[in-house]
Amino acid sequence: MFDSIVAYLSSIDPILAALYATLFTWFLTALGASVVFFFKTMNRAVLDGMLGFTGGVMVAASYWSLLAPAIEMSEGEGFIKVMPAAIGFILGAFFLFGLDKLLPHIHINFKETEGVKSPWQKTTLLVLAITLHNIPEGLAVGVLFGGVAAGIPEASIAGATILAIGIGIQNFPEGIAVSMPLRRMGMSRKKSFLYGQSSALVEPIAGVLGAVAVTFFTPILPYALAFAAGAMIFVVVEEVIPETQQDKHTDIATLGFIGGFVVMMSLDVALGS
């Protein structure tokens, strides 16, 4: 199955492949959001475990799918070789830091509003918060496919596909994490679903933009990969992990994190070898 997917994506334009891959990650977000049609509430322990899983996938993907290839494809030795990855990582973190301070959004617990003050409703602010998560995820997939289009040996369709699968898996609980709180607030099932899936619509946009940018500016690929990694790690440390520590289910969240990390690591090493 995996080989067939890779073969098909290898046969089409890499930028189109990036679009298809990020549409897949959006679809799994929508699939997660659709759970709201069957349940009105979700046990907090389950939600914390799923969010922990999301964080584990993002951290593992940041290293095996992004930072390691960025370092490998950089020229030079010692500090010279690691500098593109270090610079890109810092820029990615500061990019999300800036968006976090400027873009109004609210956390899943509906208690912490961040960014500039806004008259927008809490539902809109929550969708914006999850949208922040999805920008680096779509970008990460896109720049890998862009590397393939640019003919970079270290970039492969298989590696980009594995990353898309991993991001898609962790997008399923993200869809739930948006739609369920909205439903609990009294919003209709249909509206809760529409808001939940819309948070990932930015992924195909970011994916295509990332692929096109790398195609036209090939030397930026190691910087772009590390940029996406830095942005993802910022999201995990600043928002995903703290969110799982709000209640009494911290151990479940931690085990979820470990599980997500192992799943993404195993996918990358087993299927990418």
Side-chain angles (χ1 to χ4, degrees):
M1 178 67 174
F2 177 75
D3 290 340
S4 299
I5 294 172
V6 171
Y8 172 70
L9 293 177
S10 299
S11 68
I12 62 177
D13 183 88
I15 295 176
L16 183 60
L19 175 62
Y20 288 164
T22 46
L23 283 174
F24 165 76
T25 62
W26 161 80
F27 171 75
L28 284 187
T29 304
L31 194 62
S34 70
V35 171
V36 78
F37 288 111
F38 307 99
F39 304 96
K40 185 173 183 178
T41 61
M42 175 163 288
N43 185 282
R44 180 69 201 201
V46 175
L47 181 60
D48 284 345
M50 290 192 300
L51 286 175
F53 182 90
T54 292
V57 169
M58 292 174 73
V59 170
S62 295
Y63 175 71
W64 270 279
S65 297
L66 301 172
L67 283 176
I71 294 171
E72 184 180 352
M73 67 182 60
S74 299
E75 299 179 353
E77 298 292 336
F79 284 110
I80 299 298
K81 187 174 182 63
V82 79
M83 283 307 292
I87 293 171
F89 190 85
I90 292 170
L91 290 176
F94 272 99
F95 173 72
L96 258 291
F97 174 79
L99 287 183
D100 193 62
K101 296 302 179 186
L102 293 174
L103 189 64
H105 62 283
I106 194 169
H107 293 254
I108 294 171
N109 55 29
F110 290 104
K111 295 177 182 177
E112 304 170 38
T113 302
E114 296 184 352
V116 298
K117 291 185 178 181
S118 169
W120 295 344
Q121 294 183 343
K122 287 184 176 181
T123 52
T124 304
L125 296 177
L126 176 61
V127 173
L128 286 174
I130 305 300
T131 299
L132 283 177
H133 294 194
N134 292 324
I135 292 173
E137 294 169 7
L139 182 64
V141 175
V143 294
L144 273 178
F145 278 105
V148 174
I152 305 296
E154 292 82 1
S156 68
I157 291 290
T161 304
I162 292 165
L163 179 59
I165 292 172
I167 295 297
I169 290 172
Q170 63 93 34
N171 271 3
F172 181 82
E174 276 194 2
I176 297 174
V178 180
S179 61
M180 280 299 183
L182 298 179
R183 177 62 179 151
R184 194 166 60 245
M185 288 175 59
M187 186 175 285
S188 69
R189 287 184 172 89
K190 183 178 180 181
K191 281 191 174 181
S192 298
F193 167 75
L194 290 175
Y195 273 104
Q197 61 82 32
S198 68
S199 65
L201 288 176
V202 71
E203 287 193 9
I205 299 171
V208 171
L209 289 177
V212 171
V214 170
T215 301
F216 284 99
F217 306 101
T218 305
I220 72 168
L221 180 57
Y223 295 92
L225 289 173
F227 181 95
M232 287 172 67
I233 293 296
F234 181 91
V235 167
V236 172
V237 176
E238 197 274 340
E239 192 155 326
V240 176
I241 292 178
E243 184 59 43
T244 65
Q245 308 301 302
Q246 298 289 327
D247 215 311
K248 58 184 179 181
H249 309 295
T250 56
D251 287 345
I252 294 175
T254 302
L255 292 175
F257 182 96
I258 298 299
F261 189 96
V262 170
V263 166
M264 188 64 214
M265 176 181 68
S266 301
L267 282 173
D268 206 293
V269 175
L271 297 180
S273 60

